[in-house]
Amino acid sequence: MRIASTAARADAAEEVAMPEPADAAASSADTAWFTEVVREHSTALVRYFARRGPRQDAEDLAADVFATAWRRRADVPRDAVLPWLYRTAGFTLANGRRKHIDLPVEVVPETGSARIEHDPELSALFDAELRGALESVGERDRRILLLHAWEGLDGQELADVLGISRSGADAALSRARKRLREAWGERMSF
């Protein structure tokens, strides 16, 4: 189950996670909605995953998100589809990363600092100083900053992805920016 290239997204929409023939609950409106969601957002989701992990996994992970969107189509807010997809993508990515950590539960680090040196998000950054500053802020701050910078989310969309209120998202982004500025300043002062 893979998402095709951008040029073939329309064909892929029908291949991604369409209902099994026995799924009588799916209406033609559901199918049309889902097809449009895949056409409109598949590139954004593939890019989201490609920036955060191995590129060869990006299309499969995006397909998993679309499969979830199909199964939970009644829960997807029609006015905030992309934030819902990004939030689901975050859960999918976290689940995938947990599968690759071969540690007993009692030794799994609380902050995720053990995987920073191999973090695909950070290794995608070319600037060593920026990478170092982002390493020093917490994982939550880093996620918020990258959702804002890479995915262009702020305001209500960022709140929807984070599962918090709009004012909470604005405050979280402000705090994350402040911590990054402080970390950047510490790294740049010799």
Side-chain angles (χ1 to χ4, degrees), residues 91-167:
F91 294 139
T92 300
L93 191 60
N95 288 339
R97 286 181 176 167
R98 274 194 293 276
K99 289 178 187 175
H100 296 293
I101 297 175
D102 191 21
L103 295 173
V105 166
E106 59 273 0
V107 296
V108 174
E110 298 256 344
T111 64
S113 59
R115 66 177 187 84
I116 281 180
E117 66 188 51
H118 302 293
D119 191 330
E121 287 181 323
L122 294 176
S123 64
L125 298 172
F126 297 107
D127 187 291
E129 293 301 322
L130 177 58
R131 194 170 43 248
L134 279 169
E135 284 176 359
S136 67
V137 301
E139 204 164 321
R140 177 180 165 85
D141 286 341
R142 186 170 45 254
R143 179 175 180 229
I144 290 167
L145 290 165
L146 293 177
L147 282 169
H148 176 69
W150 282 351
E151 311 311 331
L153 300 182
D154 59 8
Q156 190 59 49
E157 288 182 328
L158 185 59
D160 292 343
V161 172
L162 298 174
I164 58 178
S165 69
R166 164 82 190 256
S167 60

Side-chain angles (χ1 to χ4, degrees), residues 17 33-34 37-38 45 62-76 78 81 84-85 88:
W33 168 81
F34 181 73
V37 166
V38 172
L45 271 185
D64 289 345
V65 171
F66 285 121
T68 301
W70 175 257
R71 283 191 310 275
R72 298 199 45 214
R73 61 191 174 272
D75 299 330
V76 178
R78 298 306 195 246
V81 173
W84 188 94
L85 291 172
T88 304

Side-chain angles (χ1 to χ4, degrees), residues 167-181:
S167 60
D170 291 342
L173 179 58
S174 178
R175 284 191 302 272
R177 284 175 170 164
K178 180 180 182 219
R179 289 182 187 120
L180 181 63
R181 277 192 301 273

